[in-house]
C-alpha cells in the first residue's frame, strides 16, 4: 500500500542539517476560555504564560492507593522481552515505562474519561480531544534514571506527524514528589519557543529513544540559553497531585538515587483538530501504542 503524504506546510522544521535555531511559537498555549471548563480565568492566564498548571489533590488518598496497586499489577504481568509496550531500563532491565495503558487497564481507561481529567483537557485545548499517548512511569529508589531535557512536541512533530503544539500532558503523581527523588524539572514560559534539533531520525528510533533519547534533544548551548531566559521550576508535592503541561515546554528529570520511588500516570491529550499526519522528519510513523492515530473524540 502506498502512503499518501498528508503533511501541511511545516511551521516547526526540525532534525535539520544546519545550525538549530529558536523559532517563535505561532500557536496559543491555551485554546479555551473560562466558560469551557473547571479552570478559572486567572489560572488559564497563568497557564498561557508559564505553560503549566499544578492541581493539588486531584486524586484522593484512596484513589492513589488503588492506582498504585494497578501499577504494581501492570509491571508484574508484563515482561520487557514479551511486550513491545513495556520499556526496560537500559542498565538494569527493570520496567521503566508501560505504554498504551488506557487500552490495557480498565481503571486507567476510566481515569481518561473522569471529568476532573477530561474536562480540563478539553478546556485547555478548546475542542474535543483524544489520547495521543498514555503510559505509566516507574522510577524506583536507587535505580531510577531520568529523562534528558527535551520538548515532547519536537518528537511528536518529527516522528508522529503532529502538526501544531495543540496537545497537553497530565502527569498524575502516585508517590510523593520531592526535590531530591528525580522530580520533573520544567522551564516556565519555554513553550513559547520551538527549539530546533539537529540530526537525521534513524529508522525505528523509538526503540532506543524511549530508553535513552539521543536524537531530538537540544544542544547543551541551547539548554543553557533557555534556562538563562526562563529559569527552572520543579514539580513537587504529595501523591494525588497532577501537573498539566504544554506539549512544547522544555522539561527533564534527574536520576533517583534516594530510597524514595517516584511513579506517575502520564496521559497526553491531543485536539481532534490537530490529528496526526505523516511524520515531518522521519521515514515512517511510530507505532500506535506510542502515538495514537485514531482521533475519535473521547466520550464519557
Amino acid at each position: 500500500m502506498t502512503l499518501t503524504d498528508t503533511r501541511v506546510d511545516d511551521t516547526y522544521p526540525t532534525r535539520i542539517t544546519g545550525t538549530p535555531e529558536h523559532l517563535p511559537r505561532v500557536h496559543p498555549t491555551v485554546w479555551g476560555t473560562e466558560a469551557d471548563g473547571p479552570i478559572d480565568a486567572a489560572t488559564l492566564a497563568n497557564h498561557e504564560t508559564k505553560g503549566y498548571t499544578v492541581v493539588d489533590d486531584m486524586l484522593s488518598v484512596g484513589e492513589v492507593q488503588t492506582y498504585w496497586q494497578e501499577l504494581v499489577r501492570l509491571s508484574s504481568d508484563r515482561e520487557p522481552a514479551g511486550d513491545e509496550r513495556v520499556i526496560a531500563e537500559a542498565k538494569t532491565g527493570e520496567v521503566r515505562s508501560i505504554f498504551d495503558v488506557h487500552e490495557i487497564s480498565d481503571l486507567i481507561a476510566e481515569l481518561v474519561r473522569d471529568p476532573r481529567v477530561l474536562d480540563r483537557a478539553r478546556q485547555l485545548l478548546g475542542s474535543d480531544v483524544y489520547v495521543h499517548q498514555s503510559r505509566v512511569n516507574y522510577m524506583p529508589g536507587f535505580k531510577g534514571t531520568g529523562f534528558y531535557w527535551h520538548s515532547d512536541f519536537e518528537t511528536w512533530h518529527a516522528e508522529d506527524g503532529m502538526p501544531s503544539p495543540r496537545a497537553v500532558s497530565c502527569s498524575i503523581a502516585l508517590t510523593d514528589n520531592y526535590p531530591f527523588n528525580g522530580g520533573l524539572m520544567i522551564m516556565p514560559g519555554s513553550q513559547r519557543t520551538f527549539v530546533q534539533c539537529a540530526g537525521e531520525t534513524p529508522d525505528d528510533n523509538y526503540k532506543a529513544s524511549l530508553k535513552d533519547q539521543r536524537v531530538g534533544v537540544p544542544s547543551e548551548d541551547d539548554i543553557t540559553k533557555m534556562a538563562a531566559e526562563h529559569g527552572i521550576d520543579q514539580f513537587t508535592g504529595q501523591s494525588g497531585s497532577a501537573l498539566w503541561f504544554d506539549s512544547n515546554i522544555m522539561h527533564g528529570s534527574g536520576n533517583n538515587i534516594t530510597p524514595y520511588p517516584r511513579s506517575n500516570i502520564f496521559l497526553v491529550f491531543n485536539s481532534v483538530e490537530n490529528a496526526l499526519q505523516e511524520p515531518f522528519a522521519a521515514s515512517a510513523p511510530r507505532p500506535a501504542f506510542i502515538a495514537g492515530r485514531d482521533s475519535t473524540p473521547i466520550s464519557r
Side-chain angles (χ1 to χ4, degrees):
M1 180 179 67
T2 302
L3 290 176
T4 302
D5 191 344
T6 59
R7 289 174 294 189
V8 297
D9 292 338
D10 191 354
T11 310
Y12 303 99
T14 189
R15 313 287 170 96
I16 61 173
T17 57
T19 302
E21 297 181 3
H22 294 191
L23 306 179
R25 179 186 182 129
V26 297
H27 295 92
T29 301
V30 174
W31 294 74
T33 68
E34 184 178 28
D36 296 325
I39 308 173
D40 61 56
T43 302
L44 287 175
N46 189 62
H47 190 94
E48 176 70 39
T49 300
K50 297 179 68 175
Y52 75 91
T53 298
V54 176
V55 180
D56 294 320
D57 302 319
M58 197 174 81
L59 297 183
S60 68
V61 173
E63 288 174 317
V64 168
Q65 289 300 314
T66 297
Y67 285 110
W68 173 254
Q69 291 170 5
E70 183 70 347
L71 260 66
V72 172
R73 183 190 70 82
L74 289 170
S75 63
S76 300
D77 286 353
R78 287 170 172 78
E79 295 294 333
D83 192 336
E84 196 177 23
R85 295 171 294 188
V86 182
I87 309 302
E89 292 281 4
K91 293 183 179 179
T92 66
E94 294 186 19
V95 175
R96 174 180 174 88
S97 302
I98 301 177
F99 281 80
D100 213 24
V101 288
H102 72 294
E103 296 289 350
I104 298 172
S105 164
D106 290 340
L107 272 174
I108 296 178
E110 291 175 10
L111 181 62
V112 165
R113 293 170 170 78
D114 189 304
R116 293 171 294 180
V117 175
L118 183 57
D119 289 355
R120 285 183 168 91
R122 287 172 170 169
Q123 184 178 15
L124 289 169
L125 300 182
S127 69
D128 282 331
V129 299
Y130 70 97
V131 175
H132 171 71
Q133 184 184 104
S134 70
R135 67 178 188 261
V136 291
N137 293 323
Y138 302 83
M139 185 176 277
F142 299 113
K143 305 172 188 175
T145 57
F147 294 85
Y148 193 71
W149 289 106
H150 65 286
S151 152
D152 289 326
F153 174 65
E154 193 280 339
T155 294
W156 300 341
H157 183 67
E159 300 185 35
D160 300 335
M162 183 178 288
S164 69
R166 194 174 179 180
V168 66
S169 298
C170 177
S171 176
I172 304 173
L174 297 185
T175 53
D176 291 342
N177 283 251
Y178 303 106
F180 45 73
N181 70 335
L184 192 72
M185 297 177 289
I186 202 161
M187 295 186 187
S190 61
Q191 82 283 355
R192 296 192 298 269
T193 302
F194 181 77
V195 180
Q196 291 181 317
C197 294
E200 186 176 344
T201 307
D203 291 341
D204 293 332
N205 181 51
Y206 72 93
K207 293 181 179 179
S209 67
L210 295 179
K211 296 182 180 182
D212 183 14
Q213 187 172 359
R214 299 295 179 90
V215 178
V217 295
S219 68
E220 291 183 359
D221 183 57
D222 285 325
I223 294 169
T224 300
K225 290 177 180 177
M226 293 290 282
E229 179 178 356
H230 300 287
I232 297 174
D233 291 348
Q234 190 173 38
F235 174 44
T236 59
Q238 293 183 332
S239 59
S241 56
L243 172 68
W244 290 86
F245 61 101
D246 182 80
S247 59
N248 188 51
I249 204 163
M250 196 65 67
H251 63 286
S253 60
N255 295 341
N256 182 13
I257 61 172
T258 75
Y260 310 109
R262 186 180 72 84
S263 298
N264 67 297
I265 299 173
F266 189 82
L267 306 173
V268 181
F269 297 94
N270 189 28
S271 169
V272 297
E273 299 172 13
N274 193 41
L276 303 187
Q277 304 171 6
E278 289 304 301
F280 286 85
S283 60
R286 297 192 299 174
F289 72 84
I290 301 174
R293 307 193 78 83
D294 181 0
S295 57
T296 303
I298 299 170
S299 60
R300 291 181 190 155

